Amino acid sequence: FLQKWVNREISNFDYLIQLNTMAGRTYNDLAQYPVFPWILRDYTSEELDLNNPSVFRDLSKPIGVVNEKNAKAVKEKYENFEDPLGIIDKFHYGTHYSNAAGVMHYLIRVEPFTTLHIQLQSGRFDCADRQFHSIPATWQALMDNPNDVKELIPEFFYFPEFLENQNGFNLGQLQISKEVVNDVVLPRWAHSPEDFIYKHRKALESEYVSAHLHEWIDLIFGYKQRGPAAVEALNVFY
């Protein structure tokens, strides 16, 4: 199976799905939902140039430190952490790259996730500013905030419907711009949800990602998950 992937007989998408399954992740459990990487960092250009390595995220780093500026804060947090009771080990991140709230966050426009989100928020939608309303803004928030470390879910590569508010839910409006939260705002290079999915999937199967995907797999499923390799990679979670 690994050999098939190395020989490029199966796609990156299929390989990631298989890895998630082998790791015990499943669509049936929001707390163990399949996890996929952010693969791009260009959400503002008019055209997406997949031959240009600079449009891709650095897959060798955890998402919390893809922005070099955050690495120092994350490192210091780890080094200065001291649990007076000696129970909690040092960690870089207090949240996780994949959790139930994150899955509901991305899939809020689609049932049954809408209802689950409302239940989680004690019977109403969370305030609009915290909703998933824009792909470029979500990426920007990740770059600005080392405490936000959400990776993606597989739907970003095959399911355009989750980007549309087809059920007409009232998700509120943003505080500052007063913009109504409706369909997800797409990168400039995507002309429709379908176009976004098509290009994003193409990016996942691109030469660059094929050459670097194993670096991300080491962080999430491999030897950099714990121990000295995780500490060095700034990849220790609470």
Side-chain angles (χ1 to χ4, degrees):
F1 168 67
L2 171 62
Q3 211 39 59
K4 273 188 155 161
W5 178 60
V6 171
N7 298 342
R8 309 248 173 130
E9 288 163 26
I10 56 175
S11 68
N12 292 336
F13 180 88
D14 286 337
Y15 186 59
L16 285 171
I17 286 285
Q18 293 276 14
L19 269 182
N20 272 285
T21 305
M22 282 156 57
R25 290 182 168 274
T26 163
Y27 285 107
N28 302 325
D29 181 354
L30 291 185
Q32 291 291 335
Y33 207 77
V35 57
F36 267 56
W38 282 92
I39 50 169
L40 294 171
R41 63 172 186 205
D42 178 359
Y43 297 95
T44 51
S45 299
E46 294 287 341
E47 296 290 325
L48 180 64
D49 178 7
L50 295 178
N51 295 317
N52 177 359
S54 74
V55 306
F56 294 97
R57 164 239 177 129
D58 182 345
L59 287 158
S60 69
K61 293 179 178 159
I63 194 70
V65 290
V66 164
N67 182 349
E68 205 45 61
K69 287 212 299 281
N70 296 337
K72 190 166 173 281
V74 165
K75 222 181 195 142
E76 281 172 4
K77 179 175 170 182
Y78 179 87
E79 283 161 5
N80 299 330
F81 180 78
E82 205 63 57
D83 176 19
L85 299 174
I87 303 167
I88 302 170
D89 292 331
K90 290 175 181 283
F91 58 85
H92 292 115
Y93 313 102
T95 55
H96 204 245
Y97 52 76
S98 165
N99 57 32
V103 177
M104 290 182 237
H105 175 77
Y106 287 138
L107 295 177
I108 189 170
R109 291 164 179 76
V110 188
E111 290 289 15
F113 304 97
T114 313
T115 299
L116 290 166
H117 168 91
I118 289 170
Q119 284 169 355
L120 181 73
Q121 297 296 333
S122 327
R124 54 185 173 74
F125 284 113
D126 193 6
C127 86
D129 286 76
R130 284 200 292 267
Q131 306 293 19
F132 173 49
H133 73 276
S134 155
I135 294 172
T138 302
W139 174 257
Q140 198 46 53
L142 280 177
M143 291 303 95
D144 296 341
N145 178 5
N147 299 318
D148 186 355
V149 293
K150 276 194 291 298
E151 290 279 10
L152 297 182
I153 51 175
E155 282 81 352
F156 274 83
F157 299 92
Y158 67 81
F159 186 50
E161 287 78 2
F162 90 103
L163 298 167
E164 300 173 280
N165 187 13
Q166 292 186 349
N167 296 315
F169 293 122
N170 177 4
L171 299 170
Q173 53 181 180
L174 304 180
Q175 273 174 335
I176 296 175
S177 68
K178 297 290 179 254
E179 185 190 337
V180 172
V181 177
N182 192 24
D183 293 347
V184 176
V185 177
L186 302 172
R188 284 166 66 182
W189 44 258
H191 308 300
S192 66
E194 290 74 16
D195 188 46
F196 170 79
I197 296 289
Y198 171 74
K199 287 173 178 162
H200 202 216
R201 181 71 171 262
K202 217 169 149 175
L204 179 64
E205 303 303 338
S206 68
E207 192 49 52
Y208 180 91
V209 174
S210 298
H212 292 276
L213 188 57
H214 66 279
E215 298 172 324
W216 181 82
I217 290 169
D218 287 340
L219 294 168
I220 306 292
F221 300 106
Y223 77 103
K224 291 184 178 175
Q225 283 178 84
R226 49 176 63 100
V231 175
E232 194 175 330
L234 304 181
N235 194 41
V236 180
F237 291 82
Y238 171 62

